Every structure is written in C-alpha cells, then in structure tokens.
C-alpha cells in the first residue's frame, strides 16, 4: 500500500506563526518533495479549533486564512489532498467509538490536561478539550496514515493514537495502521521572542503575515543578554541567532555562527541581519497569500471531499461491522 503522510493545523488564530510553519508544516512540505510515491493528506482542524473558538464568523475567517496559507507557503494542491473534516461524518463517528474504548486516566495523563490542572483550570475545560486527542486519533486512523509530521508538543497525542489503534486491532482484529509521529529534531521547538517556546498563547510570535513594520518591531523585541559588542557569543544560547537561522541557507548559517563566536558582533547588527533575511523569506509568501480568494480555497476543498469521504466511509463501515453496530 502506498505510504500515507497526514497532518492538520487548528485555525485558532488570525494567522500562523513561524513556530507552526517551521515546526509542523514545513517538514510536511519537504516530504512532498522527497517522498515521491507517498500520498499526502492535509486538513483544516476546525473541529479541534472549535474547542476554543465559538464565534462562527471568527471560526470561518480563521479557517479560510489557514487554507490560504497552506497554498501560499507552497503546498501543491495537485499533490496533496486538502480537506475539511467537518464535512466528513466519519471523523465524529470514529471519535465516538474510540472515546468508548479510552479510559479517563489516559486523557488525564495528557500534557494539555495536566497543564490545565496545574493552573487550577481543569474544571473549566470543555469535555471536547479534555478528549481532544481522541478526535485527533480518529483523524489519523481513518486514513491509515503511516507518518504524522507534528511539533514536539503533539507527540503524546500521536502516541495515544498508536496505542488506541493497537488496542482496537487486538480486540477486533487488524483494522488500523499504527501511525508514527514524525518530529524533526532541529525544529522541534522554535524559540519565541522572549526565549520561551513560540506560541500564540504567550504572544511571543512572529507571524507569517506580519507586515514589515510589525516584523521590525518584533525583531527589536527579541530578548538578549548583556554581552558587550566585543565579547564572543555562543550562537546556541542566543535568541536572535536561534530565530534568525531558520531563514538562512546552510552556508549563510555557518558564516553567521563564526561571526557570533568571533566577537565584534553587536545585537543591533545581528537583529538587522535577521530582519532582512526574515522579510525576504516572508515577502513572497505574503504576496501569494493576498492573491488567493476565498472562492479558490472553497472550490479546492469541494473538489477533494468525495475522494476523502470515500476513504473515510470505507474505514468507518469496517469499524461499525466489527464492533457490532451494523446489524445486517
Ligand atoms: P500555539 O502554541 O501557537 O497555539 P498550536 O498549538 O496551534 O500552536 O500548534 C500547531 C502546530 O504547530 C503543532 O503541530 C505544534 O506542534 C506546532 N508548533 C507550535 N508552536 C511550535 C513551536 N514553537 N515550535 C515548533 N512547533 C510548534
Ligand atoms: N492537534 C493539532 C494542532 O495542534 C492539530 C491536529 C488535529 C492534528 N488532528 C490532527 C495534527 C491529526 C496531526 C494529526 O494543531
């Protein structure tokens, strides 16, 4: 069977940031170039986004943004199936089945739940947020995905998808492919402006759609230590370097590292260089983004729905038969 590579992103913000891009989606794009024979699935995780976004207008707006960004960053819609799981009933159906085979304790061990617990907010979580990983497992298992490229923070969720697939297969016979998370170590956790993990929730991000003025302002905000210009600087401990290197070729990166180590590099110059590289990298993405219409992405989704629906329906039909839902 052809290898299947699948991932999705939640439309929970006005745009994507470079942490989402380099951590989750760029590794996926790279695979579309190297894995010539694989099939690629990329979805809009709007059913996941709904855990946070209850205003329909905003949810729609953010969903369209993410879809346009998929195209603007170079996903080839002729090579990748881009789709909307909310249009495919099997996602919710498999979610139901897997929820009943998953014990509460498994969800209580998830980082996201533990974080909410630590903040004293567990009681305020919606049930949909609590069992978010179950829906994620349904997204993956419906399509017999082999590889799931994600950022480090999603690893535990994909591991749960593996466990529940194995459990189902043991109990009801071979049904699901056991997926593997694919985490690119180099970009597992992209650093934010303040040195913490880049995240929407910390507001420490650089957005793919940030305009020049905003980019400049944000680059100026990148936290640095108090080393003098003359002092040698360890690039691996410098936030400006860590963010800036994402936009460099390997050769440029080597040259930069030498500059940091040699001493004589001011943070002002380091930031100016980073700003230039970042702007040049993001400008064509932004140009492409603004040229894509809502209709174009809506049409693209509609084109894929029946093919995706067929794959998902086949799997859920098999599951329903095996668990005794189907009576004929
Ligand atoms: P955020 O933390 O900004 O809310 P999401 O949780 O929506 O981001 O993450 C979407 C995807 O991007 C996930 O696969 C996640 O692992 C990846 N991702 C998010 N932030 C980073 C980061 N700083 N470094 C690497 N990957 C990231
Ligand atoms: N949880 C992922 C995120 O944070 C989105 C997602 C939903 C996903 N279902 C998935 C990723 C299945 C990979 C596979 O953005």
């Amino acid at each position: 069977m052809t290898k299947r590579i699948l991932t999705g992103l939640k439309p929970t913000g006005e745009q994507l940031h470079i942490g989402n891009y380099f951590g989750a989606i760029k590794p996926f794009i790279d695979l579309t170039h190297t894995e010539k024979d694989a099939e690629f699935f990329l979805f809009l995780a709007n059913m996941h986004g709904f855990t946070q976004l209850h205003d329909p207008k905003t949810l729609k707006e953010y969903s369209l943004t993410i879809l346009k960004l998929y195209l603007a960053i170079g996903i080839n819609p002729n090579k990748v199936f881009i789709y909307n799981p909310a249009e495919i009933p099997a996602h919710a159906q498999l979610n139901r089945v897997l929820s009943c085979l998953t014990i509460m304790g498994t969800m209580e061990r998830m980082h996201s739940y533990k974080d909410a617990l630590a903040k004293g907010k567990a009681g305020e979580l919606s049930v949909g947020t609590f069992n978010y990983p179950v829906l994620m497992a349904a997204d993956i298992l419906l399509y017999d995905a082999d590889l799931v490229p994600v950022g480090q923070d999603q690893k535990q969720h994909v591991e749960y998808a593996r466990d529940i697939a194995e459990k189902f297969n043991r109990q009801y016979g071979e049904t699901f492919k056991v997926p593997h998370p694919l985490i690119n170590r180099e970009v597992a956790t992209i650093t934010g402006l303040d040195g913490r993990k880049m995240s929407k929730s910390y507001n420490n991000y650089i957005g793919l759609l940030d305009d020049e003025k905003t980019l400049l302002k944000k680059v100026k905000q990148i936290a640095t230590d108090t080393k003098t210009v003359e002092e040698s600087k360890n690039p691996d401990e410098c936030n400006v370097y860590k963010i800036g290197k994402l936009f460099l070729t390997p050769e440029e990166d080597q040259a930069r590292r030498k500059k940091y180590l040699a001493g004589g590099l001011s943070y002002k110059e380091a930031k100016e260089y980073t700003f230039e590289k970042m702007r040049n990298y993001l400008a064509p993405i932004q140009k492409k983004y603004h040229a894509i219409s809502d209709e174009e992405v809506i049409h693209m989704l509609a084109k894929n729905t029946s093919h995706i629906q067929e794959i998902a329906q086949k799997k859920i039909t098999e599951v329903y038969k095996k668990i005794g839902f189907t009576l004929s």
Side-chain angles (χ1 to χ4, degrees):
M1 199 174 166
T2 319
K3 191 194 251 176
R4 286 189 171 160
I5 303 177
L6 171 148
T7 198
L9 286 175
K10 282 182 299 190
T12 48
E14 278 172 19
Q15 57 163 319
L16 293 178
H17 56 68
I18 61 169
N20 306 135
Y21 173 69
F22 286 105
I25 199 81
K26 173 94 174 5
F28 180 86
I29 302 179
D30 293 344
L31 287 170
T32 65
H33 297 302
T34 52
E35 297 277 340
K36 296 275 178 239
D37 299 325
E39 275 186 295
F40 293 91
F41 295 75
L42 177 63
F43 58 90
L44 166 72
N46 51 359
M47 290 168 82
H48 297 266
F50 188 56
T51 53
Q52 289 151 265
L53 269 184
H54 294 170
D55 172 48
K57 194 163 158 273
T58 314
L59 184 58
K60 266 197 211 170
E61 187 188 314
Y62 290 1
S63 296
L64 289 168
T65 299
I66 253 199
L67 291 166
K68 288 184 198 172
L69 274 172
Y70 283 166
L71 298 181
I73 59 183
I75 302 276
N76 177 354
N78 298 321
K79 219 182 208 177
V80 177
F81 291 111
I82 303 179
Y83 58 101
N84 175 5
E87 308 261 6
I88 318 280
H91 286 256
Q93 292 169 320
L94 186 58
N95 180 35
R96 173 67 187 163
V97 173
L98 300 181
S99 311
C100 295
L101 298 173
T102 302
I103 57 165
M104 295 267 290
T106 303
M107 291 297 112
E108 282 166 356
R109 280 192 293 277
M110 295 290 155
H111 299 311
S112 44
Y113 177 74
K114 283 202 201 155
D115 289 348
L117 198 63
K119 288 184 194 141
K121 297 235 160 118
E124 294 165 32
L125 279 190
S126 70
V127 176
T129 307
F130 177 68
N131 71 4
Y132 180 104
V134 181
L135 180 59
M136 201 166 146
D139 297 335
I140 299 170
L141 301 182
L142 273 177
Y143 301 96
D144 284 321
D146 296 270
L147 278 185
V148 184
V150 280
Q152 179 69 28
D153 58 349
Q154 299 295 314
K155 184 168 178 244
Q156 195 187 26
H157 296 166
V158 183
E159 278 164 359
Y160 156 74
R162 290 172 58 82
D163 293 344
I164 193 73
E166 280 168 352
K167 180 175 173 182
F168 190 99
N169 290 347
R170 269 198 307 277
Q171 199 165 339
Y172 297 103
E174 207 54 32
T175 309
F176 296 120
K177 176 91 68 74
V178 180
H180 293 271
L182 183 76
I183 294 158
N184 188 335
R185 282 201 188 287
E186 291 243 315
V187 289
T189 306
I190 304 293
T191 306
L193 302 177
D194 55 2
R196 291 187 289 174
K197 171 192 176 246
M198 183 172 289
S199 173
K200 275 190 294 285
S201 39
Y202 298 150
N203 200 14
N204 63 352
Y205 66 84
I206 289 172
L208 289 181
L209 298 176
D210 283 346
D211 61 26
E212 216 171 292
K213 211 167 131 216
T214 312
L215 283 180
L216 187 59
K217 194 171 124 218
K218 288 188 177 176
V219 170
K220 283 187 183 160
Q221 282 170 8
I222 299 175
T224 53
D225 58 25
T226 52
K227 284 209 170 81
T228 61
V229 175
E230 294 72 35
E231 276 178 274
S232 157
K233 300 171 181 70
N234 179 352
D236 298 315
E237 286 171 4
C238 175
N239 295 326
V240 185
Y241 169 79
K242 285 197 263 185
I243 295 175
K245 80 165 178 197
L246 298 165
F247 304 95
L248 304 185
T249 63
E251 297 72 34
E252 287 170 336
D253 183 35
Q254 278 315 313
R256 268 283 107 178
R257 292 185 68 83
K258 280 196 193 132
K259 255 185 170 298
Y260 274 81
L261 290 165
L265 176 72
S266 71
Y267 285 126
K268 183 165 178 287
E269 187 199 329
K271 286 183 174 182
E272 278 164 7
Y273 179 85
T274 294
F275 166 71
E276 285 294 324
K277 291 289 171 189
M278 193 182 275
R279 184 186 55 183
N280 294 343
Y281 192 101
L282 297 180
I285 293 179
Q286 299 182 353
K287 190 164 171 233
K288 206 164 162 202
Y289 173 86
H290 292 296
I292 302 168
S293 66
D294 292 357
E295 292 69 35
E296 188 176 338
V297 287
I298 291 168
H299 179 252
M300 170 185 75
L301 290 182
K303 221 173 59 189
N304 290 334
T305 306
S306 68
H307 177 68
I308 295 295
Q309 162 70 8
E310 201 179 306
I311 301 175
Q313 187 57 40
K314 194 161 162 239
K315 186 61 81 181
I316 196 69
T317 303
E318 183 186 350
V319 168
Y320 273 22
K321 272 199 188 129
K322 285 186 170 160
I323 62 177
F325 275 9
T326 308
L327 302 182
S328 55

